[in-house]
């Protein structure tokens, strides 16, 4: 498949009803499966789902091994450095993942410049934010005073924030260039190498083994992946023959800025919840809540992959936005409806893995977060379609409304219902927002302006 738009329906990229029409119905199952997987709209989702599973398993293994090889103090320092590094890096990326997904698939010969802008901007912002962090921390907290006693370590920390940003953005670059199949392979190698370095450094550098193993693995992954991007995938994008016109710098900067505002609102309505629970109900209640929230969020993360795939494929051919939206909604609901039912039924059993206390106190919370994935899926698809249409104001409005509802309803319910009230508040907020955006989403799916 060359990627050119010839006007002839390609079975690899047609809508589900066409791709699996009367001819496909009589074809062997293997042939139909191959056609299904050839569709980038599907292969992107499956590759990113596989990446989520592999990354989660290897991440749990990494920290379990670290807990056995390092003392609690060494583990605490390493975990603090890594979590702070990733937090600062997430802020530094300016949600450029969404910009890459929206504009890179149709950027043509300007794709290399767009990737360079994204990498460069993220690195500059990362160095500025990490520099400010290193300057402020002696005043507000002394937990990171070891960074100030070792200037070289502080410099390495700032570079690590920038490197992690590029490492994260390159997954979006691979996906936007129809190389999502490389994402789980890259992260599997990263996870395995990280564990191997963790073991090797346990005796040689125990105080910094966690931080060093993490970032040496990042460096090892950056080089081959970006050789693949710049030597193979971007030249393939250039060869498609697409016009490839990016918006002007001012229009692109406006898109990035507004999309980032929407991203910050989304973070406020999700990652702020454990902090609120700790502040209002205490650390023990947050322990129960966090486990249930973490499992529910994993299902929601998979739902975001459907939105990413929709953005990438519809950005490459905006005339197919309606067909892709219908296809994505149908397949996502077919997948998530039984998955949510299974998660609700197995909630006590899953939580038993963490202890009987979690199973008794957190099962209903997990069920509520699991059910919330279904209305959240509607919102995710709407935001993805709005990003393709460059309706960034809609994204801000939807994320702001959702976060405001989640936080306000949480504060109203948690005192009476405890952590279950937080789950109920989250579900109610997603239902309200999904109901509000559904008419507009149906208009998009029908191809109406």
């Amino acid at each position: 498949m060359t990627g050119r738009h010839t006007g002839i329906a390609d079975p690899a990229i047609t809508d589900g009803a066409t791709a699996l029409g009367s001819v496909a119905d009589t074809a062997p199952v293997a042939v139909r499966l191959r056609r299904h997987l050839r569709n980038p709209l599907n292969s992107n989702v499956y590759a990113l789902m596989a990446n989520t599973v592999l990354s989660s398993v290897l991440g749990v293994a990494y920290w379990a091994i670290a807990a056995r090889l390092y003392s609690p103090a060494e583990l605490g320092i390493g975990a603090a450095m890594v979590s702070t590094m990733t937090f600062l890096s997430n802020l530094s990326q300016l949600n450029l993942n969404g910009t890459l997904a929206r504009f890179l698939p149709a950027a043509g010969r300007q794709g290399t410049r767009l990737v360079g802008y994204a990498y460069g901007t993220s690195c500059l912002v990362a160095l500025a934010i990490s520099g400010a962090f290193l300057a402020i921390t002696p005043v507000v907290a002394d937990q990171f005073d070891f960074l100030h006693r070792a200037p070289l370590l502080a410099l390495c920390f700032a570079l690590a924030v920038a490197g992690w940003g590029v490492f994260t953005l390159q997954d979006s670059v691979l996906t936007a260039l129809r190389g999502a199949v490389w994402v789980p392979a890259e992260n599997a190698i990263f996870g395995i190498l990280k564990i191997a370095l963790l073991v090797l450094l346990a005796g040689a550098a125990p105080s910094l083994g966690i931080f060093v193993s993490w970032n040496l693995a990042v460096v090892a992954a950056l080089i081959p992946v970006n050789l693949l991007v710049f030597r193979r995938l971007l030249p393939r994008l250039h060869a498609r023959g697409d016009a490839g016109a990016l918006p002007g710098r001012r229009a692109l900067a406006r898109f990035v800025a507004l999309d980032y505002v929407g991203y910050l609102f989304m973070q406020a309505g999700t990652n702020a919840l454990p902090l609120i629970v700790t502040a209002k109900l205490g650390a023990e209640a947050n322990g129960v809540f966090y486990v249930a929230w973490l499992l529910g969020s994993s299902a929601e993360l998979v739902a975001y992959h459907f939105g990413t795939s929709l953005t990438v494929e519809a950005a490459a051919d905006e005339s197919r936005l309606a067909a892709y939206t219908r296809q994505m909604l149908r397949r996502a609901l077919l997948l998530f409806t039984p998955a949510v039912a299974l998660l609700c039924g197995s909630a006590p059993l899953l939580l038993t893995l963490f202890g009987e206390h979690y199973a008794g106190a957190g099962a209903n919370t997990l069920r509520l977060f699991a059910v919330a994935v279904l209305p959240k899926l509607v919102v995710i698809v709407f935001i993805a379609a709005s990003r393709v249409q460059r309706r960034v104001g809609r994204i801000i409005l939807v994320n702001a409304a959702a976060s405001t509802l989640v936080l306000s309803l949480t504060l109203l319910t948690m005192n009476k219902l405890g952590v279950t009230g937080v789950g109920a508040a989250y579900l109610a907020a997603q239902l309200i927002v999904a109901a509000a955006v559904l008419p507009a989403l149906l208009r998009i799916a029908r191809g109406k302006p």
Side-chain angles (χ1 to χ4, degrees), residues 97-246:
N97 297 287
T99 301
L100 289 167
R102 171 59 187 86
F103 294 109
L104 185 56
R109 294 189 176 277
Q110 298 186 67
T112 301
R113 187 172 66 172
L114 179 60
V115 174
Y117 282 161
Y119 284 178
T121 302
S122 175
C123 287
L124 288 174
V125 176
L127 293 174
I129 287 180
S130 55
F133 170 80
L134 292 169
I136 292 172
T137 45
V139 180
V140 298
D142 57 1
Q143 288 87 349
F144 292 90
D145 59 347
F146 60 92
L147 288 174
H148 301 280
R149 295 196 302 268
L152 181 60
L153 180 59
L155 175 62
C156 290
F157 178 82
L159 293 174
V161 174
W164 183 256
V166 175
F167 179 78
T168 304
L169 289 174
Q170 72 185 13
D171 286 356
S172 297
V173 172
L174 290 171
T175 304
L177 295 174
R178 289 186 174 172
V181 67
W182 293 101
V183 176
E186 166 216 357
N187 283 289
I189 294 171
F190 165 72
I192 294 170
L193 180 58
K194 187 173 61 174
I195 291 173
L197 289 168
L198 179 76
V199 175
L200 290 174
L201 293 168
S207 60
L208 293 173
I210 292 173
F211 179 73
V212 173
S213 67
W214 198 283
N215 286 287
L216 284 180
V218 167
V219 173
L222 285 176
I223 297 171
V225 170
N226 283 290
L227 285 175
L228 171 69
V229 166
F230 286 97
R231 291 192 176 183
R232 180 177 175 182
L233 299 182
L234 281 170
R236 190 170 69 184
L237 178 68
H238 301 167
R240 289 179 185 171
D242 299 326
L246 288 175

Side-chain angles (χ1 to χ4, degrees), residues 365-432:
T365 305
L366 174 54
R367 291 187 180 105
L368 289 165
F369 274 104
V371 175
V373 172
L374 295 176
K376 181 73 172 183
L377 181 63
V378 173
V379 178
I380 288 170
V381 173
F382 177 74
I383 288 176
S386 298
R387 185 171 281 120
V388 173
Q389 296 177 323
R390 304 189 198 180
R391 304 286 295 273
V392 207
R394 278 183 167 185
I395 298 175
I396 295 176
L397 181 61
V398 169
N399 283 326
S403 294
T404 302
L405 283 168
V406 168
L407 297 177
S408 57
L409 291 174
T410 292
L411 293 173
L412 286 173
T413 58
M414 65 191 309
N415 288 332
K416 290 185 177 180
L417 300 176
V419 295
T420 304
V422 183
Y426 191 82
L427 173 58
Q430 303 311 320
L431 286 169
I432 293 170

